[in-house]
Amino acid sequence: DVKVTQSSRYLVKRTGEKVFLECVQDMDHENMFWYRQDPGLGLRLIYFSYDVKMKEKGDIPEGYSVSREKKERFSLILESASTNQTSMYLCASSPVLGYQPQHFGDGTRLSIL
Amino acid sequence: KQEVTQIPAALSVPEGENLVLNCSFTDSAIYNLQWFRQDPGKGLTSLLLIQSSQREQTSGRLNASLDKSSGRSTLYIAASQPGDSATYLCAGSGNTGKLIFGQGTTLQVKP
């Protein structure tokens, strides 16, 4: 089975801090994704990556950056955390864009105080 | 721009009932349609994926259909059980592989 592991289930940070969310997948998938999920807004794509060192902006990239130095690891970075970035963050991976299901991690619930 | 809508937002049924969850999308140029399950506080579990060339997919008590011409997909759950209680999300994918999600239907199956 595909396993997508997010480093933290719950995280509390303060405004202005630089925050790193880590995601690792064990199936050699080319594609990895970061979403955030908010009540009433659903899941929205922040960034995705279709290869090492490649990245594409999603629908809401402002205030975020990403890093993919190795195929199995995709990091989401909040450069200067703000309270409106309090959310559930979900990482996903897939082998082939558009033809195979995306597999999700358990999520990180991030609170910015 | 693709938009995905799920109606109803919530559904409560007695155990054993067969039920249908609905998903509609605005852009018929869809590559695939995925159905996911999400338990409270957890990530998403992929249930079924239907390619644009397919009409339906089945897994156990679940059957998902896709009608591109009408912009609709349905998830049929047979003989519902309390363990089926969760939020069900559908998501459409274009040729970039980016998923556009609906808001979900929260299902409660009462014993």
Side-chain angles (χ1 to χ4, degrees):
Chain A
D1 275 354
V2 176
K3 190 156 179 67
V4 179
T5 303
Q6 294 183 232
S7 54
S8 304
R9 290 298 312 279
Y10 302 93
L11 205 55
V12 180
K13 297 291 183 180
R14 297 210 172 271
T15 55
E17 280 192 68
K18 190 169 186 176
V19 181
F20 293 84
L21 302 183
E22 306 286 345
C23 176
V24 176
Q25 50 95 1
D26 66 356
M27 285 300 292
D28 202 37
H29 287 171
E30 282 75 20
N31 309 293
M32 296 188 75
F33 309 81
W34 275 107
Y35 298 86
R36 64 178 283 177
Q37 184 176 28
D38 300 287
L41 296 175
L43 276 106
R44 295 176 291 167
L45 180 65
I46 306 171
Y47 267 98
F48 69 103
S49 167
Y50 51 87
D51 203 351
V52 176
K53 296 190 187 294
M54 306 298 286
K55 61 185 179 184
E56 290 279 340
K57 292 181 180 179
D59 299 317
I60 51 163
E62 297 78 18
Y64 302 94
S65 63
V66 290
S67 171
R68 192 162 181 207
E69 297 296 319
K70 293 185 178 181
K71 194 175 186 180
E72 66 270 19
R73 185 179 298 270
F74 192 34
S75 302
L76 180 69
I77 304 158
L78 286 66
E79 297 290 345
S80 178
S82 63
T83 54
N84 63 12
Q85 292 178 311
T86 291
S87 186
M88 173 72 129
Y89 289 87
L90 292 159
C91 174
S93 72
S94 74
V96 180
L97 275 179
Y99 293 96
Q100 294 290 334
Q102 289 187 19
H103 298 271
F104 282 76
D106 280 340
T108 295
R109 186 163 294 282
L110 175 65
S111 296
I112 306 295
L113 304 178
Chain B
K1 182 184 175 184
Q2 180 73 273
E3 292 183 8
V4 179
T5 305
Q6 292 184 251
I7 295 174
L11 184 63
S12 181
V13 301
E15 181 177 3
E17 192 163 297
N18 301 327
L19 61 101
V20 174
L21 305 181
N22 296 298
C23 173
S24 60
F25 48 93
T26 55
D27 187 354
S28 62
I30 196 168
Y31 262 47
N32 66 50
L33 194 292
Q34 268 188 264
W35 282 93
F36 295 89
R37 169 186 172 135
Q38 186 175 31
D39 293 291
K42 294 292 189 83
L44 278 65
T45 300
S46 179
L47 297 174
L48 290 164
L49 179 147
I50 313 173
Q51 300 288 357
S52 60
S53 57
Q54 297 172 325
R55 284 263 182 186
E56 63 180 85
Q57 284 285 334
T58 298
S59 176
R61 293 183 295 109
L62 305 179
N63 175 275
S65 68
L66 176 64
D67 185 343
K68 288 180 61 178
S69 61
S70 67
R72 291 183 180 177
S73 176
T74 61
L75 179 67
Y76 174 82
I77 303 177
S80 58
Q81 303 170 357
D84 295 329
S85 298
T87 296
Y88 291 82
L89 294 149
C90 70
S93 170
N95 59 359
T96 64
K98 292 167 58 175
L99 288 176
I100 306 297
F101 283 85
Q103 294 279 348
T105 296
T106 299
L107 172 66
Q108 182 184 31
V109 181
K110 295 180 178 179

